[in-house]
Amino acid sequence: MADPQLAKIPVTIVTGFLGAGKTTLISHLIRNANGRRLAVVVNEFGTLGVDGDILKGCAIPDCPAENVVELANGCICCTVADDFIPTVETLLALDPRPDHILIETSGLALPKPLLKAFDWPAIRSRITVDGVIALADAEAVAAGRFATDVAALDAQRAADPGIDHETPLAEVFEDQLACADMVLLTKADLAGPEGVAAARAVIAAEAPRPVPVVELTDGVIDPAVILGLDAAAEDDIAARPSHHDGEDEHEHDDFDSLVHETGEIDDPADLVARIERLARESDVLRVKGYAAVRSKPMRLLVQAVGARVRTQYDRPWRSDEARATRLVVIAEHDRIDPATIGPVLNG
């Protein structure tokens, strides 16, 4: 009988655009581990680790806080040798060792370069990619934010070949779909039946091969649906095309982030209105972080995708931390202007 200690540990890569619900999904998986020992790698864009802090906050015995590792301020697929491989080796050395590893990529990461990292000799014999799960925001996809009309684009290119009609956001979205073993259509309740149908049609048109598409709300799904796919995706890289195939490396210069820090705020609704204004006037893609609300003992978690802003009090402020407001703001490179963003957030 084979020694279970010699068996490869399955890894699930969770990818998806900014704000698609990756952290919400992984939080659900942690809380519903059902005896499976989990470890989590969280990669964030920007120096303020919001998602990792959220996941550590829902730690349980099967996934203690020390099993949640955060890689901030660097795309995981660009820092394989320096960050990713040592992190995986650390997780493999845990005692007891994890039964399953979850990797949450940043919303800007291209999954295929990360998938290629699993071919590194140091880890190839010890782990396998159980599956690549791509999350897509049903409401956003239905609105056509990341889809393209191929026929119209071809006509435009023929008329003016000097114009680049492909946007960075569309390429990221399409690469995530192309690498996926399964697509989770999130926020189906916000999209409604017609929106979900429209989003499914977009995904079917963009995906290079048929993949299962599953709808979910608030990250709730039976873990058995997405864990245990046994895809061995590292052996199937050629079937997962990318816009960046043939390139030695890729850049994320199309996107940038800044951390806005200030003191306590008086009115959460006013902060929400200011974030909505940034989305409308400055094309800000994502805002996430925490706010200290005057006279409130709880910390306010802030998560925004475009003009859609969610807030909730997540935990009490600790006695050893300063009550301050810290927000990560992410946008395309030429839209990150501290001189504009700071005054709007300060009110």
Side-chain angles (χ1 to χ4, degrees), residues 152-167:
L153 282 181
D154 286 344
Q156 289 174 323
R157 289 192 180 101
D160 187 357
I163 297 177
D164 179 9
H165 298 286
E166 195 72 74
T167 69

Side-chain angles (χ1 to χ4, degrees), residues 262-264 292-298 317 321-326:
T262 188
E264 295 183 335
V293 182
R294 204 177 311 278
S295 78
K296 296 289 186 181
M298 301 284 286
W317 287 96
E321 61 185 348
R323 288 176 58 95
T325 298
R326 298 181 182 88

Side-chain angles (χ1 to χ4, degrees), residues 72-291:
N73 198 31
C75 170
I76 195 172
C77 53
C78 300
T79 59
V80 170
D82 294 335
D83 294 323
F84 176 63
I85 300 299
T87 296
V88 171
E89 290 181 319
T90 298
L91 295 179
L92 293 176
L94 290 172
D95 185 16
R97 75 174 197 161
D99 297 317
H100 204 114
I101 298 173
L102 307 174
I103 298 178
E104 177 188 339
T105 72
S106 81
L108 303 177
L110 303 177
K112 189 168 181 178
L114 174 58
L115 192 56
K116 291 179 178 178
F118 286 84
D119 199 34
W120 279 53
I123 61 173
R124 180 174 174 81
S125 64
R126 304 162 68 192
I127 59 178
T128 181
V129 182
D130 181 69
V132 179
I133 308 298
L135 275 64
D137 182 326
E139 188 180 36
V141 175
R145 296 175 194 169
F146 315 122
T148 55
D149 184 331
V150 177
L153 282 181
D154 286 344
Q156 289 174 323
R157 289 192 180 101
D160 187 357
I163 297 177
D164 179 9
H165 298 286
E166 195 72 74
T167 69
L169 301 185
E171 288 192 3
V172 172
F173 177 67
E174 290 162 13
D175 276 15
Q176 290 171 349
L177 290 182
C179 202
D181 294 291
M182 181 180 293
V183 175
L184 300 186
L185 208 51
T186 65
K187 305 175 186 176
D189 56 326
L190 299 178
E194 291 185 0
V196 167
R200 282 181 171 273
V202 170
I203 291 169
E206 296 290 351
R209 55 196 170 90
V211 293
V213 178
V214 179
E215 302 165 27
L216 76 162
T217 298
D218 294 329
V220 177
I221 191 171
D222 185 342
V225 174
I226 58 176
L227 304 183
L229 298 182
D230 198 24
E234 69 275 16
D235 296 327
D236 188 32
I237 292 177
R240 302 164 193 260
S242 165
H243 284 283
H244 302 269
D245 285 343
E247 298 178 6
D248 291 332
E249 59 184 37
H250 67 278
E251 302 292 340
H252 292 294
D253 292 341
D254 296 308
F255 306 96
D256 207 346
S257 68
L258 62 80
V259 177
H260 176 80
E261 299 192 31
T262 188
E264 295 183 335
I265 66 170
D266 292 311
D267 183 7
D270 180 57
L271 176 61
V272 168
R274 285 181 263 143
I275 293 173
E276 291 172 342
R277 178 183 166 191
L278 280 180
R280 291 193 307 269
E281 299 178 0
S282 300
D283 296 325
V284 164
L285 300 171
R286 187 89 161 92
V287 178
K288 59 182 180 178
Y290 307 102

